[in-house]
Amino acid sequence: MVYFVSDASPMLSMDAIKAVLPIGIGLASAAYLTMQVANSRLQTDKSVPMVNLRPGDSTHDSEYNEDQDAFLQRCEETYGSTFNILLLNKTLTVVSGPQIREVFLNDDLSSIDAFEELTDMVAFFNTMRKSNRDTDHRTIHTLVKDHITPNLSIFTPRIVEQLEQSLEHELGYCPADNEGKIVENPLVIMQMMVASAMANVFMGPEIAKSRAVIETFIQASVDFAAMHGNGEAPRASFWNSLVKRANYKVLNPLQVRVRHLTEVATPVVLERRRMEAEAIEKGIPYDHPVDILQRLLDNFDKHGFVDLEDVCGHLLILVLASVHATTDSATVLLYYMAAFPESMEILYKEQRQVLDAIQQERQQKREELKKKEEPIGEDLDPAHDYDLSSAAIKQMVHLDSFVREMFRYRTELLTLPHRARKTVTLSNGIMIPRGHSVIINMKSAHQGPEQGEGVTEFKPWRFVGKAKAATKVGADFLPFGMGRQCCMNRHACPGRFLAIQEIKTIGALMVSKYSMIEIQDPSKTIKVLRSRSGEPMCTGLVFTAREAVSL
């Protein structure tokens, strides 16, 4: 989840600034930084009311964290749909209702700038790449759009195979007669499953065999989570940001991870180039490997890469974001399945119905070919009749609804900040000064009348029979932003298609292999269901295997 950096630091004297600045900074730079601090207390639109504080509180942090729903209900009942709050030492304008769409579709309101103010993510990423250091991450978006999303149907069988292998290795069979298997930290299993699958897709099966590469992906996602605050609300300041930027240049652990990936990838890439040259010399087509590494190598000049290390740096950026977000959401999915145990059997029956129907269709095609005395290709091999293909998972509408509802219900109520690059006036007349941040009231979006009945409850089948796929963003579903283009700015996340596909695949595997998942300490159910993104779970899970089914 996204939080804010404080811009309300107290005024500091020039001597104090000199004391905390890195050695070697000039007086002119120090003077400029003093001016920046002096201007950090931005003026807000005086017509926007400031929510009053509880007696004894100096900010709204405590009241909001104690009960998000109750806090926002108080604010909305007293102040309407737009109001200012003091959160993390920063004045934020809360935007609700129709103005949410305006925020997302306005080029001058940037989520990148708001997020950068907190994490210095651009500086973090730039230590890993030598090219494409664009602040809006346009190149990263292009890589996802051009090379990942269009190939999901090709990648899915490999993802499923790798996830299943990792699940068997990490969790295995949990017989009911032994009262299941307790897993204290399911996140570790999810990390291994997701990282293994992503290594296969991004780096190729040869490189993915390396356990060290899998560990590199996992540790990179851990580094990324630390930058996010590990589920806690970081209280960064201008000075912390200054120190972090300096540290990233010399202490960023991802630099070591990029070099390691480059070392492992080099012999594989050289062998691929040798085979390609040999094929050209013989005048035969070269069968390019199907993975993101090869795609980037084939488009090396198009994307302006400098060398293989630069390519691996871009790959790691894609991987760490994917592994971090997918691992967190997949882990939470298990807890939701445990909290609503009746859903497991419904999801299992749906899965069997879908796969049985696909098997019958494939059998019919084989019989038709046999009557025509035509050969039956490998694509109709009966051994793959019950594969969890991309097409099969797409037909599991109850599973898709469960995942979408999980995101709707769990997403924090104040999130997705945007910072004004210049003064913006919304349609309701509210003015957002340059440099000021707004934050989205997700309650108005995710608990609005368009969601149907019981909006404060988790209803797993809420979206069954509706044109509301888990990947479909809009003003009523904002976990992945809204719009068309860049993940980190005002538009919808292009990586959501891969993330949702992998999350649903993990859900389908769990349903097929385990008849029951239970929360180890049921008293903590509510806490884990409303946990923040990246927040460690406070209790484990108990897995009970499903009896084998003859196909």
Side-chain angles (χ1 to χ4, degrees):
M1 209 56 61
V2 181
Y3 301 96
F4 282 91
V5 176
S6 167
D7 63 357
S9 304
M11 287 293 294
L12 297 178
S13 67
M14 178 65 76
D15 289 338
I17 291 175
K18 292 178 187 177
V20 297
L21 288 176
I23 296 174
I25 191 167
L27 288 178
S29 298
Y32 170 75
L33 293 174
T34 305
M35 180 184 69
Q36 292 294 96
V37 175
N39 292 333
S40 65
R41 290 184 176 273
L42 300 167
Q43 295 296 315
T44 60
D45 190 334
K46 295 297 189 296
S47 66
V48 180
M50 172 63 73
V51 174
N52 68 337
L53 296 166
R54 294 185 308 187
D57 285 349
S58 58
T59 71
H60 294 107
D61 294 78
S62 295
E63 184 181 1
Y64 171 71
N65 290 325
E66 287 170 13
D67 190 331
Q68 297 180 24
D69 287 285
F71 173 70
L72 282 175
Q73 182 176 348
R74 175 174 83 84
C75 294
E76 291 169 336
E77 289 177 352
T78 306
Y79 304 99
S81 62
T82 307
F83 45 87
N84 287 327
I85 59 174
L86 295 173
L87 203 62
L88 305 177
N89 298 322
K90 186 177 180 70
T91 300
L92 304 172
T93 298
V94 177
V95 175
S96 312
Q99 280 65 53
I100 292 176
R101 178 181 293 274
E102 295 180 43
V103 170
F104 276 100
L105 300 183
N106 192 313
D107 284 327
D108 296 318
L109 294 171
S110 170
S111 63
I112 288 182
D113 291 358
F115 197 62
E116 179 69 7
E117 186 181 17
L118 169 64
T119 64
D120 298 293
M121 186 172 62
V122 172
F124 186 75
F125 284 168
N126 282 347
T127 62
M128 293 185 284
R129 57 189 175 189
K130 301 177 182 179
S131 62
N132 303 308
R133 294 184 169 183
D134 49 302
T135 57
D136 282 348
H137 306 296
R138 296 290 176 183
T139 302
I140 296 299
H141 155 70
T142 300
L143 297 182
V144 174
K145 181 177 67 70
D146 291 353
H147 305 305
I148 298 178
T149 303
N151 296 302
L152 277 183
S153 60
I154 298 174
F155 294 146
T156 296
R158 289 160 54 183
I159 290 174
V160 172
E161 181 181 7
Q162 196 63 58
L163 287 174
E164 192 163 15
Q165 289 178 3
S166 299
L167 179 60
E168 181 65 28
H169 183 269
E170 300 297 326
L171 185 56
Y173 184 62
C174 309
D177 55 3
N178 288 343
E179 298 184 351
K181 182 176 182 179
I182 297 175
V183 179
E184 299 287 352
N185 188 4
L187 177 68
V188 174
I189 295 176
M190 291 298 104
Q191 283 177 331
M192 183 58 66
M193 290 175 63
V194 173
S196 298
M198 292 299 94
N200 192 297
V201 168
F202 281 86
M203 305 300 292
E206 316 104 295
I207 299 175
K209 292 177 182 177
S210 169
R211 180 80 178 194
V213 169
I214 308 300
E215 292 294 341
T216 295
F217 281 9
I218 292 174
Q219 290 306 314
S221 71
V222 171
D223 298 334
F224 187 68
M227 184 191 69
H228 278 252
N230 288 320
E232 296 183 2
R235 296 173 178 275
S237 67
F238 176 81
W239 304 110
N240 286 339
S241 174
L242 192 66
V243 172
K244 280 194 295 184
R245 287 173 179 270
N247 286 342
Y248 286 161
K249 294 180 180 179
V250 293
L251 299 177
N252 190 343
L254 293 181
Q255 292 174 315
V256 176
R257 312 204 193 288
V258 170
R259 287 195 292 269
H260 178 73
L261 280 185
T262 306
E263 291 171 1
V264 177
T266 296
V268 174
V269 171
L270 291 175
E271 176 61 15
R272 291 183 181 184
R273 291 306 191 206
R274 185 196 66 76
M275 294 174 63
E276 182 178 17
E278 184 179 276
I280 293 174
E281 184 178 345
K282 293 180 179 179
I284 59 176
Y286 174 62
D287 190 11
H288 287 255
V290 182
D291 52 59
I292 305 303
L293 171 61
Q294 187 63 45
R295 295 279 299 181
L296 298 195
L297 292 173
D298 292 341
N299 293 272
F300 190 92
D301 293 333
K302 174 184 175 181
H303 296 304
F305 297 131
V306 174
D307 53 25
L308 181 58
E309 185 174 310
D310 189 27
V311 171
C312 288
H314 282 79
L315 279 169
L316 194 59
I317 291 172
L318 293 170
V319 166
L320 61 86
S322 174
V323 171
H324 168 68
T326 306
T327 295
D328 176 74
S329 297
T331 302
V332 172
L333 177 66
L334 302 185
Y335 282 88
Y336 272 77
M337 287 179 165
F340 301 92
E342 67 282 356
S343 65
M344 291 289 285
E345 198 59 29
I346 294 174
L347 293 173
Y348 179 68
K349 288 181 179 179
E350 174 184 62
Q351 184 178 131
R352 295 298 304 174
Q353 290 171 355
V354 168
L355 295 180
D356 284 343
I358 290 175
Q359 189 277 333
Q360 292 172 12
E361 291 175 5
R362 289 168 61 84
Q363 178 61 27
Q364 184 177 353
K365 290 180 181 179
R366 286 192 292 265
E367 291 175 355
E368 291 174 354
L369 290 173
K370 189 175 182 179
K371 288 179 181 179
K372 297 177 182 178
E373 297 184 348
E374 295 180 4
I376 299 175
E378 292 183 4
D379 59 318
L380 288 176
D381 186 341
H384 297 295
D385 281 0
Y386 285 88
D387 286 356
L388 287 173
S389 64
S390 178
I393 293 172
K394 187 175 182 179
Q395 294 180 49
M396 298 175 190
V397 295
H398 285 77
L399 177 60
D400 188 87
S401 176
F402 193 102
V403 171
R404 181 181 173 100
E405 176 70 350
M406 177 191 74
F407 278 107
R408 182 200 73 85
Y409 184 81
R410 185 206 182 200
T411 301
E412 188 162 357
L413 296 186
L414 290 179
T415 186
L416 298 177
H418 288 68
R419 195 166 189 258
R421 291 179 168 175
K422 69 178 185 180
T423 298
V424 172
T425 301
L426 301 178
S427 61
N428 61 357
I430 299 300
M431 182 185 70
I432 311 300
R434 179 179 179 272
H436 183 68
S437 292
V438 301
I439 193 165
I440 302 300
N441 179 1
M442 300 292 274
K443 181 179 179 181
S444 70
H446 286 183
Q447 296 183 17
E450 60 277 1
Q451 305 291 355
E453 299 178 354
V455 293
T456 60
E457 303 172 22
F458 178 84
K459 292 182 175 293
W461 323 130
R462 183 183 299 275
F463 302 106
V464 173
K466 302 177 182 178
K468 298 287 185 180
T471 55
K472 186 174 182 179
V473 299
D476 61 343
F477 189 65
L478 295 168
F480 302 100
M482 183 172 69
R484 301 175 301 279
Q485 298 176 22
C486 183
C487 176
M488 291 299 178
N489 196 10
R490 60 182 175 87
H491 299 288
C493 173
R496 69 189 184 278
F497 298 100
L498 174 62
I500 292 296
Q501 183 75 0
E502 194 164 5
I503 292 167
K504 291 199 298 183
T505 300
I506 290 173
L509 283 173
M510 290 295 174
V511 165
S512 69
K513 294 184 178 295
Y514 303 98
S515 62
M516 186 185 305
I517 305 175
E518 301 169 275
I519 294 176
Q520 186 179 9
D521 183 351
S523 68
K524 297 179 179 177
T525 298
I526 298 299
K527 182 174 176 60
V528 297
L529 293 185
R530 298 309 294 265
S531 62
R532 285 170 164 161
S533 177
E535 182 180 354
M537 293 301 183
C538 56
T539 184
L541 293 173
V542 183
F543 295 83
T544 302
R546 189 178 295 280
E547 293 300 321
V549 177
S550 57
L551 302 179

